[in-house]
Amino acid sequence: VGDVPSGFPSLAFGNFDFTHMEALIAGAMAIAFVGFMEDMSTIKSLAGLSRQRINANQQLIAMGAANVAAAISGGYPVTTSISRSAVNYAAGANTGMSSVVASIIIAVVVMFFTPLFYYLPTTVLAAIVITSVVKLINVASIRQLWRYSNVETIPFTITFLSVLVASIELGILIGIIV
């Protein structure tokens, strides 16, 4: 992995520069849309495994609040991490308290233990992510979609392949167009 800086970056309140807002608005809308779609797809896949109900409005409000907090403190846009969510689910987490516990553990690690990651191979991190995310692939749902409508399988297949070949943003855009 190499050097991982320890500690937290300083907060940057009030560093708003609206001079380039017009040029950035289209990209910002794309980030918001892709973030929401990633968030909802993660939630739907995990909620399907645990048979929980989804409230898209509540999710959108939470994501908006997190992004406002990130914006006023100098952070990056916030969205769901499918790999972290999959690891969390595989570990048996059932409530939001698991995120609080994970945040505390991450804070302790970032403050004191980052030098230990220097010699950790990135393949180990990749293996953790892959083994967690593979459990979210639901082949039965794809078969059910195929049985329900062959035509409906076409946008799924094109979007899936576009994401693999190009990028998430381009793949989703191609899927929307299809």
Side-chain angles (χ1 to χ4, degrees):
V1 174
D3 276 327
V4 177
S6 62
F8 295 101
S10 59
L11 294 177
F13 292 103
N15 289 340
F16 294 109
D17 180 9
F18 294 102
T19 56
H20 302 289
M21 188 171 166
E22 191 174 308
L24 297 175
I25 196 76
M29 291 181 71
I31 290 170
F33 181 74
V34 169
F36 180 68
M37 294 305 293
E38 180 185 10
D39 191 50
M40 290 310 297
S41 65
T42 302
I43 290 168
K44 284 185 178 185
S45 64
L46 291 174
L49 294 174
S50 60
R51 294 188 175 100
Q52 293 179 343
R53 300 186 85 189
I54 300 169
N55 184 341
N57 287 336
Q58 182 181 6
Q59 202 59 36
L60 190 60
I61 290 168
M63 201 165 105
N67 276 300
V68 167
I72 63 173
S73 62
Y76 289 108
V78 177
T79 185
T80 303
S81 166
I82 190 165
S83 57
R84 187 179 72 82
S85 299
V87 169
N88 211 10
Y89 180 80
N94 292 318
T95 68
M97 183 55 86
S98 63
S99 293
V100 173
V101 171
S103 298
I104 292 168
I105 291 170
I106 289 170
V108 170
V109 168
V110 166
M111 292 299 294
F112 305 109
F113 297 109
T114 55
L116 298 176
F117 293 115
Y118 185 84
Y119 295 106
L120 182 71
T122 53
T123 53
V124 171
L125 299 177
I128 292 169
V129 170
I130 289 170
T131 56
S132 300
V133 173
V134 157
K135 295 174 186 172
L136 296 178
I137 299 172
N138 190 342
V139 177
S141 292
I142 298 168
R143 280 192 213 125
Q144 184 179 10
L145 178 64
W146 177 259
R147 276 186 251 132
Y148 175 73
S149 171
N150 297 354
V151 175
E152 292 295 326
T153 310
I154 294 169
F156 165 78
T157 305
I158 291 173
T159 304
F160 179 77
L161 293 174
S162 298
V163 167
L164 287 179
V165 172
S167 67
I168 291 174
E169 294 85 1
L170 186 59
I172 290 174
L173 180 62
I174 290 169
I176 291 169
I177 291 169
V178 170

